[in-house]
Amino acid sequence: MACAAAGYFAASLGSEPEGVEPSTLPPTAFVAPPEAFHVSPCIQNGAVYRDELSVCLLVQAGGKRLVFGTPLHTNWRAIGPLDAVFMMDGHPLSSGGLMGLRYESWFDRRDSELLLVSGELTLDWVQQLDDALIVPDALSQVGSRNQLDSRRSGFAVRPVLTNASLMSVFNTGDLRVFASSQLADTGDQLMSYRVVYEDSVLDIYSCESSRTLMGGEAATAIFVPVFDQVQLTRHQRFADQNRLYARQMEIRMAGLNCPSMTEAKDMAQRAAASQLLTQGMTGERAERLFRDGGVSWSPLTIEGVEVDLAAQ
């Protein structure tokens, strides 16, 4: 599956002008074939450490392109056209990149408001921030010689109730998305999503929402960030020595909330999933956990992976 994904990922880049180094060209969006159920990181310029612990997925299926998670440090160049965005929670580390995505998709000639799905507690401040951008939007419209329409710059919000369980939030017939919500001790609303395409089911969790599995039908695949305690400790020591206070917060939250590879595999087995998709710090011995079969492991790379349409 990964090899096939890599093949049409490369094909999507298009031809390169003669005499120009590829590394100096602007990045281009990857658009999967409409019949695929493809999952890749939002980051199209290679994953770096800070992006590994916050969910940011580009899910493509049925000709639709959906983003899950909007982390603070995300580079949205080459994200391409989108049909909807789904926030994981209201914490800045996992949602602070939302305004950058708003402008990137609008500057890329988005012709309508962008559908935004998140918890009802989060969408209050998102809507207020969206409304407050009237002056930057107007400046952008004037600077584009009115090729941009500021009436289309913002969000069409769809709130998820605090106690929602598999609430329908997106439906095009062959592609459906359901949202489940739980309330954290901090008062934040934690989201999990179920993406259903034809007969395949992908469940998407953040570190924080992975404590509670969604019920209902068995999943074909689940996605969750993972951490290896040894690697996490090394990062923590480096951040402490160099007084990297912002990284200390990320690492501390990961240590408190992210499952290990063993716990992630257990999640997949309890969800009756045949495929486990992960990002993050997996450790050198991770592959040994999957030698007994039952669950296949697909660590996300820039090429992405396909959810098996024949698994159910």
Side-chain angles (χ1 to χ4, degrees), residues 12 17 60 67 81 113 157 159 170 173 180 183 192 206 215 278 290:
S12 72
Q60 303 187 66
V67 160
E113 291 183 317
V157 299
F170 186 88
S180 291
L183 197 61
S192 303
S206 65
T278 67
F290 299 90

Side-chain angles (χ1 to χ4, degrees), residues 70-72 76 85 87 94-104 114 116 122-123 125-126 129 155:
T70 58
L72 177 63
W76 295 113
V85 175
M87 294 178 66
S94 49
S95 63
L98 182 62
M99 290 302 140
L101 178 58
R102 176 189 187 273
Y103 276 110
E104 175 66 21
L114 181 60
L116 177 66
T122 301
L123 287 182
W125 65 258
V126 170
L129 191 56
F155 299 115

Side-chain angles (χ1 to χ4, degrees), residues 134-302:
I134 183 172
V135 173
D137 289 351
L139 292 173
S140 299
Q141 178 173 325
V142 173
S144 72
R145 298 181 180 179
N146 291 322
Q147 293 183 27
L148 295 172
D149 186 345
S150 60
R151 294 171 297 179
R152 301 172 179 175
S153 62
F155 299 115
V157 299
R158 184 165 297 172
V160 177
L161 301 178
T162 307
N163 60 349
S165 177
L166 295 176
M167 171 182 170
S168 178
V169 292
F170 186 88
N171 189 342
T172 60
D174 59 343
L175 178 62
R176 294 168 291 153
V177 181
F178 302 87
S180 291
S181 167
Q182 53 186 294
L183 197 61
D185 295 338
T186 59
D188 197 4
Q189 198 172 344
L190 310 177
M191 309 299 303
S192 303
Y193 295 99
R194 172 162 292 168
V195 184
V196 182
Y197 178 56
E198 297 184 352
D199 294 325
S200 294
V201 178
L202 169 65
D203 286 350
I204 298 174
Y205 298 93
S206 65
C207 288
E208 291 76 12
S209 68
S210 65
R211 300 174 183 177
T212 304
L213 287 179
M214 289 180 282
E217 60 187 310
T220 307
I222 71 168
F223 167 86
V224 65
V226 298
F227 78 92
D228 173 71
Q229 188 62 57
V230 173
Q231 293 189 47
L232 203 66
T233 300
R234 292 172 181 167
H235 282 287
Q236 180 70 64
R237 186 178 300 115
F238 181 84
D240 292 344
Q241 292 173 348
N242 293 277
R243 300 182 179 181
L244 304 177
Y245 300 119
R247 302 293 76 75
Q248 288 175 344
M249 175 183 291
E250 290 178 328
I251 295 166
R252 183 172 62 253
M253 290 181 63
L256 291 173
N257 299 307
C258 293
S260 65
M261 277 299 298
T262 301
E263 292 168 331
K265 181 184 178 183
D266 179 65
M267 283 180 60
Q269 291 174 327
R270 287 187 285 123
S274 60
Q275 192 175 7
L276 172 64
L277 281 58
T278 67
Q279 68 178 30
M281 306 176 187
T282 57
E284 298 176 355
R285 301 180 180 180
E287 292 185 3
R288 299 181 184 180
L289 294 172
F290 299 90
R291 290 178 179 173
D292 59 352
V295 178
S296 65
W297 175 42
S298 302
L300 280 191
T301 63
I302 187 172

